[in-house]
PDB file of all heavy atoms in Angstrom:
ATOM      1  N   LEU K 253     -15.990   4.162   4.486  1.00 97.00           N
ATOM      2  CA  LEU K 253     -15.812   5.217   3.479  1.00 97.00           C
ATOM      3  C   LEU K 253     -15.378   4.699   2.096  1.00 97.00           C
ATOM      4  O   LEU K 253     -15.967   5.102   1.086  1.00 97.00           O
ATOM      5  CB  LEU K 253     -14.826   6.264   4.015  1.00 97.00           C
ATOM      6  CG  LEU K 253     -14.772   7.579   3.246  1.00 97.00           C
ATOM      7  CD1 LEU K 253     -16.141   8.255   3.223  1.00 97.00           C
ATOM      8  CD2 LEU K 253     -13.731   8.509   3.858  1.00 97.00           C
ATOM      9  N   PRO K 254     -14.388   3.802   2.000  1.00 97.00           N
ATOM     10  CA  PRO K 254     -14.006   3.316   0.668  1.00 97.00           C
ATOM     11  C   PRO K 254     -15.172   2.640  -0.069  1.00 97.00           C
ATOM     12  O   PRO K 254     -15.291   2.765  -1.279  1.00 97.00           O
ATOM     13  CB  PRO K 254     -12.896   2.300   0.956  1.00 97.00           C
ATOM     14  CG  PRO K 254     -12.353   2.706   2.277  1.00 97.00           C
ATOM     15  CD  PRO K 254     -13.508   3.250   3.051  1.00 97.00           C
ATOM     16  N   LEU K 255     -16.038   1.960   0.690  1.00 97.00           N
ATOM     17  CA  LEU K 255     -17.190   1.300   0.054  1.00 97.00           C
ATOM     18  C   LEU K 255     -18.174   2.352  -0.445  1.00 97.00           C
ATOM     19  O   LEU K 255     -18.721   2.258  -1.541  1.00 97.00           O
ATOM     20  CB  LEU K 255     -17.879   0.372   1.059  1.00 97.00           C
ATOM     21  CG  LEU K 255     -17.049  -0.818   1.520  1.00 97.00           C
ATOM     22  CD1 LEU K 255     -17.765  -1.581   2.627  1.00 97.00           C
ATOM     23  CD2 LEU K 255     -16.764  -1.741   0.341  1.00 97.00           C
ATOM     24  N   GLU K 256     -18.355   3.382   0.396  1.00 96.00           N
ATOM     25  CA  GLU K 256     -19.271   4.452   0.017  1.00 96.00           C
ATOM     26  C   GLU K 256     -18.775   5.151  -1.249  1.00 96.00           C
ATOM     27  O   GLU K 256     -19.542   5.410  -2.169  1.00 96.00           O
ATOM     28  CB  GLU K 256     -19.334   5.453   1.170  1.00 96.00           C
ATOM     29  CG  GLU K 256     -20.706   6.022   1.386  1.00 96.00           C
ATOM     30  CD  GLU K 256     -20.782   6.741   2.721  1.00 96.00           C
ATOM     31  OE1 GLU K 256     -20.441   6.106   3.757  1.00 96.00           O
ATOM     32  OE2 GLU K 256     -21.146   7.925   2.711  1.00 96.00           O
ATOM     33  N   LEU K 257     -17.463   5.427  -1.306  1.00 95.00           N
ATOM     34  CA  LEU K 257     -16.891   6.103  -2.476  1.00 95.00           C
ATOM     35  C   LEU K 257     -17.040   5.255  -3.734  1.00 95.00           C
ATOM     36  O   LEU K 257     -17.137   5.784  -4.839  1.00 95.00           O
ATOM     37  CB  LEU K 257     -15.410   6.417  -2.236  1.00 95.00           C
ATOM     38  CG  LEU K 257     -15.126   7.530  -1.238  1.00 95.00           C
ATOM     39  CD1 LEU K 257     -13.631   7.609  -0.937  1.00 95.00           C
ATOM     40  CD2 LEU K 257     -15.634   8.870  -1.749  1.00 95.00           C
ATOM     41  N   ASN K 258     -17.036   3.931  -3.562  1.00 95.00           N
ATOM     42  CA  ASN K 258     -17.196   3.036  -4.714  1.00 95.00           C
ATOM     43  C   ASN K 258     -18.657   2.735  -5.012  1.00 95.00           C
ATOM     44  O   ASN K 258     -18.953   1.924  -5.892  1.00 95.00           O
ATOM     45  CB  ASN K 258     -16.463   1.710  -4.466  1.00 95.00           C
ATOM     46  CG  ASN K 258     -14.972   1.827  -4.718  1.00 95.00           C
ATOM     47  OD1 ASN K 258     -14.543   2.654  -5.515  1.00 95.00           O
ATOM     48  ND2 ASN K 258     -14.193   1.010  -4.046  1.00 95.00           N
ATOM     49  N   GLY K 259     -19.558   3.345  -4.242  1.00 94.00           N
ATOM     50  CA  GLY K 259     -20.984   3.053  -4.434  1.00 94.00           C
ATOM     51  C   GLY K 259     -21.302   1.597  -4.130  1.00 94.00           C
ATOM     52  O   GLY K 259     -22.161   1.002  -4.768  1.00 94.00           O
ATOM     53  N   ALA K 260     -20.565   1.041  -3.160  1.00 92.00           N
ATOM     54  CA  ALA K 260     -20.721  -0.389  -2.888  1.00 92.00           C
ATOM     55  C   ALA K 260     -21.064  -0.653  -1.423  1.00 92.00           C
ATOM     56  O   ALA K 260     -20.725  -1.691  -0.865  1.00 92.00           O
ATOM     57  CB  ALA K 260     -19.430  -1.121  -3.261  1.00 92.00           C
ATOM     58  N   LEU K 261     -21.758   0.313  -0.802  1.00 95.00           N
ATOM     59  CA  LEU K 261     -22.052   0.156   0.626  1.00 95.00           C
ATOM     60  C   LEU K 261     -23.386  -0.565   0.815  1.00 95.00           C
ATOM     61  O   LEU K 261     -24.407   0.040   1.098  1.00 95.00           O
ATOM     62  CB  LEU K 261     -22.061   1.538   1.308  1.00 95.00           C
ATOM     63  CG  LEU K 261     -22.193   1.524   2.829  1.00 95.00           C
ATOM     64  CD1 LEU K 261     -21.221   0.554   3.456  1.00 95.00           C
ATOM     65  CD2 LEU K 261     -21.989   2.919   3.380  1.00 95.00           C
ATOM     66  N   ASP K 262     -23.338  -1.873   0.639  1.00 96.00           N
ATOM     67  CA  ASP K 262     -24.556  -2.667   0.831  1.00 96.00           C
ATOM     68  C   ASP K 262     -24.416  -3.522   2.094  1.00 96.00           C
ATOM     69  O   ASP K 262     -23.438  -3.382   2.833  1.00 96.00           O
ATOM     70  CB  ASP K 262     -24.822  -3.546  -0.406  1.00 96.00           C
ATOM     71  CG  ASP K 262     -23.596  -4.393  -0.752  1.00 96.00           C
ATOM     72  OD1 ASP K 262     -22.638  -4.437   0.063  1.00 96.00           O
ATOM     73  OD2 ASP K 262     -23.582  -5.010  -1.825  1.00 96.00           O
ATOM     74  N   GLU K 263     -25.353  -4.392   2.338  1.00 96.00           N
ATOM     75  CA  GLU K 263     -25.322  -5.198   3.573  1.00 96.00           C
ATOM     76  C   GLU K 263     -24.070  -6.097   3.611  1.00 96.00           C
ATOM     77  O   GLU K 263     -23.451  -6.274   4.654  1.00 96.00           O
ATOM     78  CB  GLU K 263     -26.611  -6.025   3.694  1.00 96.00           C
ATOM     79  CG  GLU K 263     -26.816  -6.662   5.061  1.00 96.00           C
ATOM     80  CD  GLU K 263     -26.327  -5.815   6.255  1.00 96.00           C
ATOM     81  OE1 GLU K 263     -26.733  -4.639   6.394  1.00 96.00           O
ATOM     82  OE2 GLU K 263     -25.496  -6.329   7.025  1.00 96.00           O
ATOM     83  N   THR K 264     -23.662  -6.595   2.440  1.00 96.00           N
ATOM     84  CA  THR K 264     -22.457  -7.442   2.376  1.00 96.00           C
ATOM     85  C   THR K 264     -21.240  -6.626   2.797  1.00 96.00           C
ATOM     86  O   THR K 264     -20.372  -7.107   3.531  1.00 96.00           O
ATOM     87  CB  THR K 264     -22.244  -7.956   0.933  1.00 96.00           C
ATOM     88  OG1 THR K 264     -23.489  -8.414   0.441  1.00 96.00           O
ATOM     89  CG2 THR K 264     -21.219  -9.049   0.864  1.00 96.00           C
ATOM     90  N   GLY K 265     -21.176  -5.371   2.332  1.00 96.00           N
ATOM     91  CA  GLY K 265     -20.071  -4.478   2.686  1.00 96.00           C
ATOM     92  C   GLY K 265     -20.037  -4.210   4.185  1.00 96.00           C
ATOM     93  O   GLY K 265     -18.979  -4.273   4.817  1.00 96.00           O
ATOM     94  N   HIS K 266     -21.219  -3.927   4.756  1.00 96.00           N
ATOM     95  CA  HIS K 266     -21.310  -3.708   6.205  1.00 96.00           C
ATOM     96  C   HIS K 266     -20.810  -4.939   6.959  1.00 96.00           C
ATOM     97  O   HIS K 266     -20.064  -4.823   7.933  1.00 96.00           O
ATOM     98  CB  HIS K 266     -22.764  -3.433   6.599  1.00 96.00           C
ATOM     99  CG  HIS K 266     -23.161  -1.991   6.477  1.00 96.00           C
ATOM    100  ND1 HIS K 266     -22.796  -1.048   7.397  1.00 96.00           N
ATOM    101  CD2 HIS K 266     -23.877  -1.344   5.532  1.00 96.00           C
ATOM    102  CE1 HIS K 266     -23.281   0.133   7.043  1.00 96.00           C
ATOM    103  NE2 HIS K 266     -23.938  -0.021   5.889  1.00 96.00           N
ATOM    104  N   ALA K 267     -21.226  -6.107   6.487  1.00 97.00           N
ATOM    105  CA  ALA K 267     -20.855  -7.355   7.164  1.00 97.00           C
ATOM    106  C   ALA K 267     -19.338  -7.573   7.076  1.00 97.00           C
ATOM    107  O   ALA K 267     -18.695  -7.958   8.058  1.00 97.00           O
ATOM    108  CB  ALA K 267     -21.602  -8.531   6.539  1.00 97.00           C
ATOM    109  N   PHE K 268     -18.768  -7.287   5.901  1.00 96.00           N
ATOM    110  CA  PHE K 268     -17.324  -7.479   5.746  1.00 96.00           C
ATOM    111  C   PHE K 268     -16.547  -6.497   6.620  1.00 96.00           C
ATOM    112  O   PHE K 268     -15.520  -6.843   7.215  1.00 96.00           O
ATOM    113  CB  PHE K 268     -16.923  -7.346   4.269  1.00 96.00           C
ATOM    114  CG  PHE K 268     -15.491  -7.726   4.011  1.00 96.00           C
ATOM    115  CD1 PHE K 268     -14.985  -8.946   4.449  1.00 96.00           C
ATOM    116  CD2 PHE K 268     -14.639  -6.865   3.339  1.00 96.00           C
ATOM    117  CE1 PHE K 268     -13.657  -9.293   4.226  1.00 96.00           C
ATOM    118  CE2 PHE K 268     -13.310  -7.199   3.109  1.00 96.00           C
ATOM    119  CZ  PHE K 268     -12.817  -8.417   3.562  1.00 96.00           C
ATOM    120  N   ALA K 269     -17.048  -5.266   6.717  1.00 97.00           N
ATOM    121  CA  ALA K 269     -16.396  -4.263   7.578  1.00 97.00           C
ATOM    122  C   ALA K 269     -16.411  -4.745   9.034  1.00 97.00           C
ATOM    123  O   ALA K 269     -15.396  -4.624   9.742  1.00 97.00           O
ATOM    124  CB  ALA K 269     -17.110  -2.922   7.441  1.00 97.00           C
ATOM    125  N   ARG K 270     -17.535  -5.305   9.469  1.00 97.00           N
ATOM    126  CA  ARG K 270     -17.606  -5.823  10.847  1.00 97.00           C
ATOM    127  C   ARG K 270     -16.621  -6.979  11.034  1.00 97.00           C
ATOM    128  O   ARG K 270     -15.939  -7.068  12.053  1.00 97.00           O
ATOM    129  CB  ARG K 270     -19.037  -6.303  11.168  1.00 97.00           C
ATOM    130  CG  ARG K 270     -19.983  -5.156  11.513  1.00 97.00           C
ATOM    131  CD  ARG K 270     -21.286  -5.689  12.134  1.00 97.00           C
ATOM    132  NE  ARG K 270     -22.045  -6.530  11.223  1.00 97.00           N
ATOM    133  CZ  ARG K 270     -22.950  -6.064  10.342  1.00 97.00           C
ATOM    134  NH1 ARG K 270     -23.203  -4.774  10.280  1.00 97.00           N
ATOM    135  NH2 ARG K 270     -23.601  -6.893   9.549  1.00 97.00           N
ATOM    136  N   GLU K 271     -16.517  -7.815  10.017  1.00 97.00           N
ATOM    137  CA  GLU K 271     -15.590  -8.951  10.054  1.00 97.00           C
ATOM    138  C   GLU K 271     -14.143  -8.451  10.187  1.00 97.00           C
ATOM    139  O   GLU K 271     -13.353  -8.983  10.972  1.00 97.00           O
ATOM    140  CB  GLU K 271     -15.753  -9.703   8.732  1.00 97.00           C
ATOM    141  CG  GLU K 271     -15.412 -11.156   8.732  1.00 97.00           C
ATOM    142  CD  GLU K 271     -15.632 -11.743   7.332  1.00 97.00           C
ATOM    143  OE1 GLU K 271     -16.799 -11.817   6.886  1.00 97.00           O
ATOM    144  OE2 GLU K 271     -14.635 -12.065   6.675  1.00 97.00           O
ATOM    145  N   LEU K 272     -13.820  -7.412   9.417  1.00 97.00           N
ATOM    146  CA  LEU K 272     -12.452  -6.867   9.466  1.00 97.00           C
ATOM    147  C   LEU K 272     -12.158  -6.217  10.812  1.00 97.00           C
ATOM    148  O   LEU K 272     -11.053  -6.346  11.343  1.00 97.00           O
ATOM    149  CB  LEU K 272     -12.250  -5.846   8.339  1.00 97.00           C
ATOM    150  CG  LEU K 272     -11.918  -6.414   6.962  1.00 97.00           C
ATOM    151  CD1 LEU K 272     -11.910  -5.305   5.928  1.00 97.00           C
ATOM    152  CD2 LEU K 272     -10.559  -7.129   6.979  1.00 97.00           C
ATOM    153  N   LEU K 273     -13.156  -5.518  11.362  1.00 97.00           N
ATOM    154  CA  LEU K 273     -12.943  -4.891  12.683  1.00 97.00           C
ATOM    155  C   LEU K 273     -12.653  -5.946  13.735  1.00 97.00           C
ATOM    156  O   LEU K 273     -11.803  -5.746  14.616  1.00 97.00           O
ATOM    157  CB  LEU K 273     -14.178  -4.097  13.095  1.00 97.00           C
ATOM    158  CG  LEU K 273     -14.153  -2.593  12.878  1.00 97.00           C
ATOM    159  CD1 LEU K 273     -15.324  -1.931  13.593  1.00 97.00           C
ATOM    160  CD2 LEU K 273     -12.834  -1.954  13.339  1.00 97.00           C
ATOM    161  N   LEU K 274     -13.332  -7.060  13.599  1.00 97.00           N
ATOM    162  CA  LEU K 274     -13.095  -8.182  14.496  1.00 97.00           C
ATOM    163  C   LEU K 274     -11.676  -8.726  14.279  1.00 97.00           C
ATOM    164  O   LEU K 274     -10.947  -8.991  15.224  1.00 97.00           O
ATOM    165  CB  LEU K 274     -14.127  -9.281  14.194  1.00 97.00           C
ATOM    166  CG  LEU K 274     -14.497 -10.245  15.287  1.00 97.00           C
ATOM    167  CD1 LEU K 274     -15.100  -9.510  16.474  1.00 97.00           C
ATOM    168  CD2 LEU K 274     -15.528 -11.272  14.742  1.00 97.00           C
ATOM    169  N   ALA K 275     -11.281  -8.835  13.022  1.00 95.00           N
ATOM    170  CA  ALA K 275      -9.961  -9.382  12.673  1.00 95.00           C
ATOM    171  C   ALA K 275      -8.832  -8.503  13.207  1.00 95.00           C
ATOM    172  O   ALA K 275      -7.749  -9.000  13.495  1.00 95.00           O
ATOM    173  CB  ALA K 275      -9.839  -9.540  11.158  1.00 95.00           C
ATOM    174  N   VAL K 276      -9.076  -7.178  13.311  1.00 96.00           N
ATOM    175  CA  VAL K 276      -8.031  -6.300  13.852  1.00 96.00           C
ATOM    176  C   VAL K 276      -8.274  -6.014  15.344  1.00 96.00           C
ATOM    177  O   VAL K 276      -7.696  -5.092  15.919  1.00 96.00           O
ATOM    178  CB  VAL K 276      -7.890  -4.982  13.040  1.00 96.00           C
ATOM    179  CG1 VAL K 276      -7.508  -5.275  11.600  1.00 96.00           C
ATOM    180  CG2 VAL K 276      -9.143  -4.113  13.114  1.00 96.00           C
ATOM    181  N   SER K 277      -9.143  -6.828  15.966  1.00 96.00           N
ATOM    182  CA  SER K 277      -9.444  -6.777  17.414  1.00 96.00           C
ATOM    183  C   SER K 277      -9.963  -5.419  17.864  1.00 96.00           C
ATOM    184  O   SER K 277      -9.594  -4.921  18.935  1.00 96.00           O
ATOM    185  CB  SER K 277      -8.206  -7.149  18.240  1.00 96.00           C
ATOM    186  OG  SER K 277      -7.621  -8.317  17.739  1.00 96.00           O
ATOM    187  N   LEU K 278     -10.812  -4.797  17.048  1.00 97.00           N
ATOM    188  CA  LEU K 278     -11.345  -3.493  17.431  1.00 97.00           C
ATOM    189  C   LEU K 278     -12.869  -3.439  17.311  1.00 97.00           C
ATOM    190  O   LEU K 278     -13.458  -2.364  17.161  1.00 97.00           O
ATOM    191  CB  LEU K 278     -10.721  -2.389  16.557  1.00 97.00           C
ATOM    192  CG  LEU K 278      -9.255  -2.066  16.874  1.00 97.00           C
ATOM    193  CD1 LEU K 278      -8.674  -1.132  15.826  1.00 97.00           C
ATOM    194  CD2 LEU K 278      -9.131  -1.438  18.259  1.00 97.00           C
ATOM    195  N   ALA K 279     -13.500  -4.612  17.390  1.00 96.00           N
ATOM    196  CA  ALA K 279     -14.960  -4.649  17.222  1.00 96.00           C
ATOM    197  C   ALA K 279     -15.651  -3.757  18.256  1.00 96.00           C
ATOM    198  O   ALA K 279     -16.679  -3.153  17.976  1.00 96.00           O
ATOM    199  CB  ALA K 279     -15.445  -6.083  17.330  1.00 96.00           C
ATOM    200  N   ASP K 280     -15.058  -3.649  19.452  1.00 97.00           N
ATOM    201  CA  ASP K 280     -15.701  -2.855  20.508  1.00 97.00           C
ATOM    202  C   ASP K 280     -15.429  -1.355  20.372  1.00 97.00           C
ATOM    203  O   ASP K 280     -15.887  -0.571  21.179  1.00 97.00           O
ATOM    204  CB  ASP K 280     -15.245  -3.360  21.881  1.00 97.00           C
ATOM    205  CG  ASP K 280     -13.736  -3.289  22.042  1.00 97.00           C
ATOM    206  OD1 ASP K 280     -13.017  -3.353  21.002  1.00 97.00           O
ATOM    207  OD2 ASP K 280     -13.263  -3.157  23.180  1.00 97.00           O
ATOM    208  N   ARG K 281     -14.647  -0.961  19.366  1.00 97.00           N
ATOM    209  CA  ARG K 281     -14.327   0.468  19.213  1.00 97.00           C
ATOM    210  C   ARG K 281     -14.979   1.093  17.974  1.00 97.00           C
ATOM    211  O   ARG K 281     -14.619   2.195  17.562  1.00 97.00           O
ATOM    212  CB  ARG K 281     -12.798   0.669  19.129  1.00 97.00           C
ATOM    213  CG  ARG K 281     -12.009   0.062  20.273  1.00 97.00           C
ATOM    214  CD  ARG K 281     -12.462   0.565  21.638  1.00 97.00           C
ATOM    215  NE  ARG K 281     -12.245   1.980  21.843  1.00 97.00           N
ATOM    216  CZ  ARG K 281     -11.116   2.508  22.328  1.00 97.00           C
ATOM    217  NH1 ARG K 281     -10.123   1.721  22.645  1.00 97.00           N
ATOM    218  NH2 ARG K 281     -10.992   3.815  22.497  1.00 97.00           N
ATOM    219  N   ALA K 282     -15.945   0.396  17.417  1.00 97.00           N
ATOM    220  CA  ALA K 282     -16.569   0.866  16.163  1.00 97.00           C
ATOM    221  C   ALA K 282     -17.098   2.291  16.272  1.00 97.00           C
ATOM    222  O   ALA K 282     -17.013   3.068  15.316  1.00 97.00           O
ATOM    223  CB  ALA K 282     -17.691  -0.088  15.764  1.00 97.00           C
ATOM    224  N   GLN K 283     -17.621   2.640  17.440  1.00 98.00           N
ATOM    225  CA  GLN K 283     -18.230   3.972  17.577  1.00 98.00           C
ATOM    226  C   GLN K 283     -17.255   5.006  18.140  1.00 98.00           C
ATOM    227  O   GLN K 283     -17.627   6.157  18.375  1.00 98.00           O
ATOM    228  CB  GLN K 283     -19.489   3.901  18.466  1.00 98.00           C
ATOM    229  CG  GLN K 283     -20.546   2.925  17.948  1.00 98.00           C
ATOM    230  CD  GLN K 283     -20.832   3.081  16.459  1.00 98.00           C
ATOM    231  OE1 GLN K 283     -20.921   4.199  15.924  1.00 98.00           O
ATOM    232  NE2 GLN K 283     -20.938   1.959  15.742  1.00 98.00           N
ATOM    233  N   SER K 284     -15.986   4.623  18.373  1.00 98.00           N
ATOM    234  CA  SER K 284     -14.991   5.581  18.893  1.00 98.00           C
ATOM    235  C   SER K 284     -14.492   6.474  17.775  1.00 98.00           C
ATOM    236  O   SER K 284     -14.535   6.096  16.604  1.00 98.00           O
ATOM    237  CB  SER K 284     -13.781   4.843  19.478  1.00 98.00           C
ATOM    238  OG  SER K 284     -14.169   3.996  20.514  1.00 98.00           O
ATOM    239  N   TYR K 285     -14.006   7.640  18.156  1.00 98.00           N
ATOM    240  CA  TYR K 285     -13.330   8.513  17.184  1.00 98.00           C
ATOM    241  C   TYR K 285     -11.837   8.201  17.209  1.00 98.00           C
ATOM    242  O   TYR K 285     -11.303   7.824  18.263  1.00 98.00           O
ATOM    243  CB  TYR K 285     -13.613   9.980  17.510  1.00 98.00           C
ATOM    244  CG  TYR K 285     -15.026  10.347  17.104  1.00 98.00           C
ATOM    245  CD1 TYR K 285     -16.087  10.181  17.988  1.00 98.00           C
ATOM    246  CD2 TYR K 285     -15.297  10.798  15.810  1.00 98.00           C
ATOM    247  CE1 TYR K 285     -17.391  10.464  17.601  1.00 98.00           C
ATOM    248  CE2 TYR K 285     -16.595  11.077  15.408  1.00 98.00           C
ATOM    249  CZ  TYR K 285     -17.635  10.912  16.306  1.00 98.00           C
ATOM    250  OH  TYR K 285     -18.913  11.177  15.901  1.00 98.00           O
ATOM    251  N   PRO K 286     -11.154   8.366  16.059  1.00 97.00           N
ATOM    252  CA  PRO K 286      -9.740   7.956  15.975  1.00 97.00           C
ATOM    253  C   PRO K 286      -8.862   8.581  17.051  1.00 97.00           C
ATOM    254  O   PRO K 286      -7.936   7.922  17.542  1.00 97.00           O
ATOM    255  CB  PRO K 286      -9.322   8.431  14.580  1.00 97.00           C
ATOM    256  CG  PRO K 286     -10.587   8.411  13.791  1.00 97.00           C
ATOM    257  CD  PRO K 286     -11.680   8.784  14.748  1.00 97.00           C
ATOM    258  N   ASP K 287      -9.143   9.824  17.468  1.00 97.00           N
ATOM    259  CA  ASP K 287      -8.238  10.444  18.450  1.00 97.00           C
ATOM    260  C   ASP K 287      -8.372   9.822  19.839  1.00 97.00           C
ATOM    261  O   ASP K 287      -7.617  10.162  20.744  1.00 97.00           O
ATOM    262  CB  ASP K 287      -8.413  11.970  18.487  1.00 97.00           C
ATOM    263  CG  ASP K 287      -9.803  12.383  18.890  1.00 97.00           C
ATOM    264  OD1 ASP K 287     -10.648  11.499  19.160  1.00 97.00           O
ATOM    265  OD2 ASP K 287     -10.051  13.605  18.949  1.00 97.00           O
ATOM    266  N   ARG K 288      -9.339   8.920  20.024  1.00 97.00           N
ATOM    267  CA  ARG K 288      -9.452   8.189  21.292  1.00 97.00           C
ATOM    268  C   ARG K 288      -8.656   6.892  21.249  1.00 97.00           C
ATOM    269  O   ARG K 288      -8.622   6.148  22.219  1.00 97.00           O
ATOM    270  CB  ARG K 288     -10.921   7.869  21.612  1.00 97.00           C
ATOM    271  CG  ARG K 288     -11.775   9.089  21.817  1.00 97.00           C
ATOM    272  CD  ARG K 288     -11.222   9.826  23.015  1.00 97.00           C
ATOM    273  NE  ARG K 288     -11.555  11.236  22.957  1.00 97.00           N
ATOM    274  CZ  ARG K 288     -12.490  11.824  23.684  1.00 97.00           C
ATOM    275  NH1 ARG K 288     -13.200  11.114  24.528  1.00 97.00           N
ATOM    276  NH2 ARG K 288     -12.691  13.113  23.581  1.00 97.00           N
ATOM    277  N   LEU K 289      -8.063   6.579  20.107  1.00 97.00           N
ATOM    278  CA  LEU K 289      -7.342   5.315  19.958  1.00 97.00           C
ATOM    279  C   LEU K 289      -5.835   5.532  20.042  1.00 97.00           C
ATOM    280  O   LEU K 289      -5.336   6.615  19.706  1.00 97.00           O
ATOM    281  CB  LEU K 289      -7.650   4.678  18.600  1.00 97.00           C
ATOM    282  CG  LEU K 289      -9.111   4.386  18.248  1.00 97.00           C
ATOM    283  CD1 LEU K 289      -9.186   3.687  16.897  1.00 97.00           C
ATOM    284  CD2 LEU K 289      -9.776   3.545  19.317  1.00 97.00           C
ATOM    285  N   SER K 290      -5.118   4.488  20.446  1.00 96.00           N
ATOM    286  CA  SER K 290      -3.646   4.545  20.437  1.00 96.00           C
ATOM    287  C   SER K 290      -3.161   4.517  18.991  1.00 96.00           C
ATOM    288  O   SER K 290      -3.929   4.190  18.068  1.00 96.00           O
ATOM    289  CB  SER K 290      -3.090   3.334  21.190  1.00 96.00           C
ATOM    290  OG  SER K 290      -3.283   2.162  20.415  1.00 96.00           O
ATOM    291  N   GLY K 291      -1.877   4.807  18.794  1.00 96.00           N
ATOM    292  CA  GLY K 291      -1.310   4.775  17.446  1.00 96.00           C
ATOM    293  C   GLY K 291      -1.468   3.406  16.797  1.00 96.00           C
ATOM    294  O   GLY K 291      -1.872   3.289  15.642  1.00 96.00           O
ATOM    295  N   GLY K 292      -1.177   2.369  17.563  1.00 96.00           N
ATOM    296  CA  GLY K 292      -1.280   1.004  17.036  1.00 96.00           C
ATOM    297  C   GLY K 292      -2.717   0.665  16.644  1.00 96.00           C
ATOM    298  O   GLY K 292      -2.969   0.035  15.619  1.00 96.00           O
TER     299      GLY K 292
END
Side-chain angles (χ1 to χ4, degrees):
L253 194 59
L255 295 174
E256 218 167 306
L257 288 172
N258 280 333
L261 187 49
D262 54 10
E263 192 36 54
T264 315
H266 274 283
F268 188 52
R270 281 193 297 273
E271 206 180 293
L272 278 173
L273 261 192
L274 206 60
V276 299
S277 312
L278 287 171
D280 58 333
R281 306 304 296 272
Q283 303 313 319
S284 301
Y285 285 89
D287 61 1
R288 297 298 155 104
L289 303 183
S290 72

